[in-house]
Amino acid sequence: QVQLVESGGGLVQPGGSLRLSCSASGFTFTNYWMYWVRQAPGKGLEWVSRIYGGGGSGFYADSVKGRFTISRDNARNTIYLSMNTLKPEDTARYYCAARRSLTWRPDVKDEYEYWGQGTQVTVSS
């Protein structure tokens, strides 16, 4: 049974930091690109970041570049999203997703083979 379980969300003040985690099971983790995708209230999905199955540097949306860092620990089947200098516009539900190959439509849920339940991040004073 495939599972993606996100954790680490919460309420944080503007300028603060959070670290999200996504624990994966039920599939060969290293064969998949792993993604973070978010959805703000009343808005569509927005791709945030992705990382190759073998690890290495991640790729980022312009809206988070320089503030967010994606990483993965293949020994633990887990990916992380370190979020710094958080802004109110970062408020969203953050989802972890998996896809064997790259997609040119990372904002479309059906593009992903596996999808988590999400964790809520709220940036507010």
Side-chain angles (χ1 to χ4, degrees):
Q1 180 183 356
V2 171
Q3 279 194 310
L4 293 174
V5 180
E6 301 94 333
S7 61
L11 174 64
V12 62
Q13 291 187 342
S17 300
L18 280 176
R19 188 194 196 204
L20 307 184
S21 300
C22 171
S23 178
S25 60
F27 63 100
T28 305
F29 186 64
T30 53
N31 288 350
Y32 286 77
W33 284 85
M34 296 299 296
Y35 292 74
W36 287 101
V37 182
R38 68 185 181 184
Q39 186 167 28
K43 296 189 176 180
L45 293 174
E46 178 188 14
W47 168 72
V48 174
S49 183
R50 70 173 183 267
I51 188 166
Y52 179 59
S57 299
F59 300 86
Y60 302 93
D62 287 345
S63 58
V64 305
K65 199 172 293 182
R67 299 187 298 121
F68 290 11
T69 303
I70 190 171
S71 60
R72 66 190 293 160
D73 183 342
N74 285 344
R76 297 178 183 272
N77 282 11
T78 300
I79 66 167
Y80 305 95
L81 187 69
S82 295
M83 307 185 295
N84 298 314
T85 320
L86 282 161
K87 304 175 182 180
E89 50 264 43
D90 294 317
T91 295
R93 191 163 187 87
Y94 284 71
Y95 296 92
C96 168
R99 183 179 164 87
R100 191 179 285 267
S101 59
L102 285 175
T103 173
W104 297 112
R105 301 189 302 165
D107 297 339
V108 178
K109 185 177 178 181
D110 286 349
E111 287 289 301
Y112 297 97
E113 290 156 71
Y114 307 124
W115 187 267
Q117 87 289 347
T119 186
Q120 179 67 33
V121 172
T122 302
V123 185
S124 175
S125 55

